[in-house]
Amino acid sequence: MTPPDLSRRAMIAAAAAAAAFGAARSEAADAPGSVPQDRPVRIAMILYPGMTALDLVGPQALLAGLAPGSLYLVARSAGTVASDTGLSLVATHAFEACPPELDVLFVPGGDGTPDQMRDAALLAFLRAHAARAAWVTSVCTGSLILGAAGLLKGYRATSHWCVRDAVLPLLGAVPVAERVVFDRNRVTAAGISAGLDLALALAARLRGPDYARTAQLVAEYAPEPPFQAGTPAQAGPAITRAADAILAPLVAGATEAART
């Protein structure tokens, strides 16, 4: 006879496997399908003062080929918008001029995140367009802005490591320590450089893996960083303390904004 404890363990393992399969099947069923080949992908990417330029520019470079004539750089008003390092980008459309039907709604992160978490006009825009967008996405602390709009409640999500575990739960999200997290039609990426990974993963969903592989090759995205210090675990305590000091104002501001 099978020992009782072994039988119980087997039943628990089977139940867990069934639950995981059910969740995966449900998530796959809830995820949007690919965009038809006969029309461009419709993408709106948000610009705001104090964004991190690379959060937006990296994904934009990889996704632009999918969206000829239908990639909208959207801000409160059209015109130049300064990033958190002083580099300015140009918004092509104001909120009210953005088309209502989108395949991708995208929010970058940056030092300006806490202010945007309190910006009623931006949050209202995101809520209205997320309700009709196929994919709702973010890079870095952009997920906190989505969360402040109420768009990540009950969703698994990631963000920059400095705020992921402390701030995302305050906004109703379930933090996940991964580079890119898909949960139904929400796609969030970790800090800055993870935006390239998000763009390729999303491109594969929108137009197929071969399209994404081709975009990766065209961009020669084959990273070999000179240091292994991209996460606190890799960087070690001393480097992490130095990074914490730089990021402290962002963490404090985002935490306060999430609590108000």
Side-chain angles (χ1 to χ4, degrees), residues 48-50 109-119 123 141 144-145 148 163 249-258 260:
Y48 60 83
D111 289 348
T113 293
D115 288 341
Q116 304 311 308
M117 293 171 70
R118 298 185 177 95
D119 188 313
L123 300 183
T141 56
L144 304 186
I145 301 172
V163 294
L250 171 61
V251 175
T255 303
E256 182 181 354
T260 57

Side-chain angles (χ1 to χ4, degrees), residues 227-251:
F227 305 102
Q228 293 300 316
T231 67
Q234 292 175 329
I239 298 300
T240 300
R241 284 194 296 272
D244 281 337
I246 294 169
L247 295 165
L250 171 61
V251 175

Side-chain angles (χ1 to χ4, degrees), residues 14-24:
F21 176 76

Side-chain angles (χ1 to χ4, degrees), residues 69-152:
S70 59
L71 196 154
Y72 313 101
L73 301 177
V74 183
R76 181 184 285 270
S77 58
T80 58
V81 182
S83 72
D84 55 10
T85 60
L87 177 67
S88 289
L89 302 177
V90 178
T92 58
H93 291 68
F95 288 159
E96 61 271 17
C98 181
E101 301 292 341
L102 298 171
D103 298 301
V104 179
L105 177 63
F106 173 91
V107 183
D111 289 348
T113 293
D115 288 341
Q116 304 311 308
M117 293 171 70
R118 298 185 177 95
D119 188 313
L122 172 59
L123 300 183
F125 172 88
L126 293 175
R127 283 190 288 266
H129 283 72
R132 303 173 71 170
W135 295 99
V136 179
T137 72
S138 66
V139 170
C140 197
T141 56
S143 59
L144 304 186
I145 301 172
L146 290 180
L151 298 174
L152 290 182

